[in-house]
Structure formats: structure tokens, C-alpha cells
Amino acid sequence: MEILLVLWAALMIGFVLVPFLRRRRGMLQQVPAGHPDAADPANYGFARQEELDVRMPGPDQDLLDVLDLVQRTQDYRAASQLLAGTEAAGERRWQRVQAFAGAASLELQQRPGGVGDAPGGQWLRVWRAEQPKDAGGAAVHAEFLVQQAWRTATPGTDEFRIIMEEAKAACSEAALLAPGDPVPYIVELSVARGLGYTQPEFEQLWLKILDRAPNHMGAHLAALHYWCEKWHGSREQAYGFAEAAAARAPEGSLLAAMPLFAVFEHLPEVNLVTGFYESEVVTKAIHGALHAVHSARPDDPMLAHVRHLLVFFLVRAERWAEAMNQLIHVDGHVGALPWTLSPDPAAEFAVYRALAVAGYEANGGSPASLPH
């Protein structure tokens, strides 16, 4: 129990001292390894903090292999082949487009180039130049521009708008190259949020996605941002959108977890009332997400996203055993909400994992009693 109290006290202190952080949900310092109150993740087969992969929410070895090859050789062809062989309307294609775009954007940030030096991400420029009709390359380029806008410019500025307008044009070009592919329109959802599409304009865009992939979880998550009160909607509109998606979700669809994401997007800046996470709204959303996880295909690419958010809510609700049951499925990868909102996603995840372990053990749990 002493371990649990120490960790939970650290979490609460973080909320009191840094309320200005954007719903930081506990941006904390973990006790150092070897400290008597440190929970050892190795006891449960969990990865060390320094081993956590911040690039993706879950494993995709084909993507990792190709990313490594492309970045090592600066040859885009493996990326083009991987996307060409990935189902257009599936969740995995959208995730891979995001990953390639993010890799190119980060390369450019790390190596902006100069006299005599080629800028990072050059392989994407060559891809677009040599294969202008490649639908995969066009989609990656559009997403690259979107990520550049959010990463390098401030919303509302001329610079931001210029990049987003370029991204909008790139989305249109990508859509023309692959008429049945929802990905260019999903990329445009972020453009719509950044440029402030009117609600009728946004709904027209959304209908194009529904025509192509009505149960696309990634698209729904991207659209949810638009409807949040911090952007162009309200709490009621966001909840309504999420609940409608959950209500029409077919059996086995992770759309049943959408209300939990809506709750997450509207958490108060600082909440010291522990009962909030046991409230009816939160409990209902957690149960919907748990049902979605239990019903989903084990290979659903979006499953890890839901499990990561469940870890956050289950720890906050002090449902330690259930949190541990989610951790055994996602540990090793932390490229998902809520961890990606932190400057150090691995550290953020490690704190919640330590809380889950401490709470689990304080209530009689052990590595031997944890099902795998």
C-alpha cells in the first residue's frame, strides 16, 4: 500500500503544480530505477521505459521494416509497394500513410538542409517527382503537409493557412488518383479543422468518407476533433457524434468505444475529484470501450488505440486488475492517446503503468495471478 500511496501522491502533486499543461493527465516524474518504491515492470514481462516504441500504438512489423529501409537508403520504392498492397478502405492503410508522413516530417525537422546538404525527407520529394500518379505517394504527401502545418506553424497565422491550403490541394489530387480510397478525405478532416470549415462544408466532406468506409474508426476519431468544443463544435455535439457512431456500430466494431474518446477530449483541465472517474458518464463510456475490445478482432489495427485509452481511464478509476489486463496487450508501444500529448510519451505511459502495478499488488495481485 505504501508504494501505491507514494505513486498516487506524486500524480496528484503533478495536477496541482502544473495545471497550465494541456489536460496533461499527469505529466510526472517516475521514481528512479532501484528506488525501494519503484515498481519493476520486468516482473510482469513489461518493457523498460527506454525500450518503449513511441512511433506506433501497436506492432506493425512490415511497416517498421519498410520505414527502416526507406530511411536508411532514402529510396521510397519499398514504401510505395507496401501501400499499394494495403487495403484502401482499411484502418492499416491510414495508419501507414500517417507513419510515412510523420517520418518524413521528423526527418525534415531534424535535418532542414542547407548549402550542400540535402534536407531530411528527400525520399518523399523524389517519390512525388518520379511517380506523380502514385496514389500512395500523393496521400503521404498530403498528410505530410498537414503534419508540417501543425508542427511548424501556429493555427490562425498566414503561414499556417498557406500550408493548409497547399495540403487541401494535395488532398484533392490524391482523391482524383484513387476515387474509392477514403484516406485523402480523412487527411482533409484535419485540414477542415485547421482552416475552420463551416459545419455544412464539414458534413459534405464527412459524407464522402461514409460513402467509402462507413465504419472507419480512424476517420471517426479525426472527425471527433472537429466537433469538440475546443475547435468548431461543442461538448454536446461531440458527445452526440460519438454516441451516434457507437449506436450504429456493427458487432465487432470498435466504434462502440467512441464515447470514451469524447469524454477524454472534454476532461477538465484539473480534476481532483476522484469520483469523477466513477461517474455514470465515464463508467458507461468505459464499459462501452471494454465491450468493443472484447468483441473486436484480435488483429484490428485500431484495437491498441482503444486499449491505451482504457489504461488511462481504468487507472484513474482505480480499476487496477482491468488496467493490467489492457497493459499486457499493448505494452512495448506507446504511440497513441493519451501518451502522445506528452513531450515524453514513454515516461507518461510508464507512470500510469507503475500506478497500475502498484494498485494491483496492493490488492493482492502478483505476476503469477495476471492472466496472459
Side-chain angles (χ1 to χ4, degrees), residues 7-354:
L7 288 168
W8 194 255
L11 185 63
M12 291 300 98
I13 290 170
F15 290 142
V16 172
L17 295 181
V18 289
F20 58 90
L21 292 173
R22 182 182 57 185
R23 285 200 310 278
R24 185 45 46 213
R25 293 110 167 161
M27 177 186 167
L28 311 169
Q29 294 295 320
Q30 211 177 350
V31 293
H35 189 283
D37 287 335
D40 189 353
N43 291 340
Y44 292 85
F46 293 153
R48 297 285 182 180
Q49 181 177 324
E50 60 271 18
E51 298 170 343
L52 295 170
D53 191 327
V54 302
R55 295 171 295 180
M56 297 185 300
D60 183 347
Q61 194 58 49
D62 288 341
L63 173 61
L64 289 178
D65 291 344
V66 169
L67 268 175
D68 176 69
L69 179 62
V70 168
Q71 294 187 303
R72 182 162 38 83
T73 66
Q74 291 294 295
D75 188 334
Y76 69 86
R77 286 175 292 182
S80 177
Q81 292 169 2
L82 183 64
L83 286 182
T86 306
E87 180 190 1
E91 304 281 357
R92 198 171 297 281
R93 179 177 174 84
W94 167 231
Q95 292 186 2
R96 288 173 172 176
V97 165
Q98 287 181 298
F100 287 129
S105 181
L106 286 173
E107 278 187 40
L108 181 59
Q109 182 181 29
Q110 294 164 358
R111 302 195 311 276
V115 178
D117 294 324
Q122 185 68 17
W123 54 268
L124 179 54
R125 296 178 182 81
V126 175
W127 187 357
R128 294 297 296 129
E130 293 186 354
Q131 300 290 339
K133 301 300 182 183
D134 186 328
V140 172
H141 179 237
E143 173 65 15
F144 166 81
L145 291 170
V146 165
Q147 293 194 27
Q148 281 295 100
W150 292 111
R151 181 173 283 121
T152 65
T154 302
T157 62
D158 288 342
E159 180 186 7
F160 181 84
R161 178 166 289 277
I162 289 170
I163 301 174
M164 276 297 187
E165 291 288 358
E166 187 179 355
K168 182 178 180 180
C171 288
S172 297
E173 182 179 355
L176 288 174
L177 291 172
D181 187 352
V183 169
Y185 300 102
I186 299 174
V187 176
E188 193 178 347
L189 290 174
S190 187
V191 176
R193 178 162 54 97
L195 293 181
Y197 283 21
T198 65
Q199 291 187 3
E201 290 172 334
F202 186 86
E203 287 168 349
Q204 289 179 6
L205 171 61
W206 182 240
L207 286 175
K208 294 176 182 177
I209 295 171
L210 292 182
D211 286 342
R212 292 162 175 81
N215 299 316
H216 199 291
M217 180 72 173
H220 280 78
L221 291 177
L224 177 64
H225 291 303
Y226 177 91
W227 293 114
C228 289
E229 63 183 4
K230 64 185 176 183
W231 287 105
H232 307 294
S234 66
R235 180 189 301 263
E236 291 72 22
Q237 286 176 304
Y239 276 35
F241 174 80
E243 289 166 1
R248 67 170 183 269
E251 184 64 27
S253 169
L254 287 167
L255 289 176
M258 284 297 298
L260 190 64
F261 286 87
V263 170
F264 178 78
E265 291 296 335
H266 293 87
L267 288 178
E269 291 292 329
V270 178
N271 187 359
L272 300 179
V273 181
T274 57
F276 172 80
Y277 292 93
E278 300 170 5
S279 66
E280 182 179 355
V281 170
V282 176
T283 299
K284 183 179 177 181
I286 289 174
H287 287 169
L290 286 170
H291 171 74
V293 164
H294 293 153
S295 303
R297 299 189 330 269
D299 63 344
D300 191 315
M302 294 302 293
L303 188 54
H305 286 272
V306 181
R307 290 192 187 278
H308 278 290
L309 197 62
L310 274 169
V311 169
F312 168 83
F313 276 99
L314 291 169
V315 167
R316 288 295 189 91
E318 301 182 15
R319 295 166 63 166
W320 313 115
E322 290 171 291
M324 292 293 286
N325 286 332
Q326 300 305 317
L327 282 167
I328 61 176
H329 291 287
V330 298
D331 190 79
H333 298 83
V334 295
L337 287 175
W339 328 120
T340 50
L341 293 181
S342 169
D344 190 343
E348 187 94 343
F349 174 83
V351 167
Y352 276 80
R353 185 178 63 184

